[in-house]
Amino acid sequence: MSIAIPLLNEERVLPELLRRLRAVVDGLPGGPHQIVFVDDGSTDGSFGLLQQAAAADPRIVAISLSRNFGHQNALIAALDYVTGDVVVVMDADLQDPPEAIPRLLAEHALGYEVVFASRVGRKEPWPLRVCYYLFYRLIASMADLPLPLDAGDFAVLSRRVVEHLKNLPERHRYLRGLRSWVGFRQTGVPIERSERFAGTSKYGFWKLVRLALDGMFAFSVAPLRAAALLGAATISATLIYVAYALYAKIALHRSPPGFTALLVAVTLLAGIQLLFLGVIGEYIGRIYEESKGRPHYIVRDVVGNPGRPRP
Ligand code: UDP
Ligand code: MG
């Protein structure tokens, strides 16, 4: 089994994380197991701590990226390096409790290739919880394939699933969606989402918004369809109004007044057009990103023995 953990500036969490992870891994049957940390361009002492840990424990591999590539890319790096037949994906901040790993593995042993943690009992402040709640439901209703609700990245993946994920060519990755896309037998286990052990969230507001947009645009063209639908609705409304205006002119001999109505209509339509220009722009921007074909990450250092890379 391998554990894949991307992290950014988590020096205050790492000692506790390592302690709890070791305790869990020691208790697992089989082995040798492996823990792969990917340091996503930390500016604190995280990588130093990881180097020490890797030197002291042959099960630990520490990889540092050349800069901050973002959580999803760091996760892809971790997936590229893990060699286990079963792979656990988790966050470094102990919001995903390591003690839950055996429960996920037990479910995997029943034949499920993807076992994800369904997040229950979140501890974040309520406005954020409302956003998470709405986001997962919005994206599930828009996506072209069924996406499980409240499923984060914490999961157990079979080797087959990891290989398929690695072979996906796309740049903008929303892994929890791609994980569903891959298919095979999947199931969720309700696992309480703990509070972050120390430090502050590395997902600022805009990073979260970007992740949400990545998820939405990668799994749905509904925003494009919305433009067409709104256009059709606008044309229908206009035709009705034209009919009324003609009737008023011919039968009642008066033209409807309307400087205010004119202003409202013009600014509203201009706004809608700009909005959907932006939506189209999002898709085009993503096409551009894909066409550049840059790698997801660049590795600076690998400490510890990652073992033989899989073909
Ligand atoms: N993380 C990362 N690169 C980033 C941002 C975050 O590797 O650019 C890691 C972070 O260290 C943590 C995980 O991704 O292990 C989830 O981030 P965080 O806990 O800050 O997000 P939240 O749980 O608040 O959404
Ligand atoms: Mg967290």
Side-chain angles (χ1 to χ4, degrees), residues 276-291:
F276 282 103
L277 207 57
V279 169
I280 296 171
E282 277 292 333
Y283 285 95
I284 294 179
R286 275 150 218 275
I287 298 172
Y288 176 54
E289 292 289 330
E290 296 294 335
S291 69

Side-chain angles (χ1 to χ4, degrees), residues 22-65:
R22 283 208 196 91
V24 168
V25 173
D26 286 342
L28 290 175
H33 302 301
Q34 176 190 47
I35 308 175
V36 174
F37 289 97
V38 172
D39 175 15
D40 188 17
S42 293
T43 48
D44 66 357
S46 294
F47 195 63
L49 290 176
L50 289 177
Q51 275 177 308
Q52 282 171 23
D57 188 337
R59 295 174 298 186
I60 296 178
V61 180
I63 296 162
S64 71
L65 302 186

Side-chain angles (χ1 to χ4, degrees), residues 139-140 143-149 176-177 180-181 186:
I139 194 170
D144 309 328
L145 77 166
L147 294 177
L149 299 173
R176 47 198 93 158
S180 297
W181 181 88
Q186 310 208 352

Side-chain angles (χ1 to χ4, degrees), residues 5-10 38-40 68-72 74-75 90-95 119 122 124 128 132 193 196 200-204 207-208:
I5 307 181
L7 62 100
L8 170 68
N9 296 337
E10 303 284 10
V38 172
D39 175 15
D40 188 17
N68 178 244
F69 280 90
H71 174 226
Q72 298 287 305
L75 192 51
M90 62 185 288
D91 285 353
D93 59 355
L94 288 168
Q95 281 198 286
R119 294 172 168 177
R122 284 182 180 276
E124 283 93 356
L128 202 56
Y132 286 135
R193 183 115 168 113
R196 164 177 266 286
T200 52
S201 173
K202 308 301 179 296
Y203 264 101
K207 265 194 189 176
L208 263 184

Side-chain angles (χ1 to χ4, degrees), residues 102-183:
R103 269 166 65 201
L104 295 176
L105 289 174
E107 209 66 17
H108 172 77
L110 297 179
Y112 291 101
E113 307 227 5
V114 173
V115 186
F116 53 83
S118 285
R119 294 172 168 177
V120 294
R122 284 182 180 276
K123 308 289 184 302
E124 283 93 356
W126 71 264
L128 202 56
R129 281 213 309 271
V130 170
C131 289
Y132 286 135
Y133 182 90
L134 291 177
F135 166 68
Y136 280 114
R137 273 140 197 90
L138 177 73
I139 194 170
S141 66
M142 278 172 48
D144 309 328
L145 77 166
L147 294 177
L149 299 173
D150 300 309
D153 283 327
F154 190 24
V156 164
L157 311 173
S158 70
R159 171 50 51 183
R160 266 209 292 192
V161 167
V162 172
E163 288 304 317
H164 285 297
L165 284 177
K166 277 162 61 174
N167 288 334
L168 291 174
E170 56 203 272
R171 252 65 331 254
H172 279 282
R173 303 237 189 166
Y174 178 69
L175 271 172
R176 47 198 93 158
L178 293 173
R179 190 178 63 199
S180 297
W181 181 88
V182 165

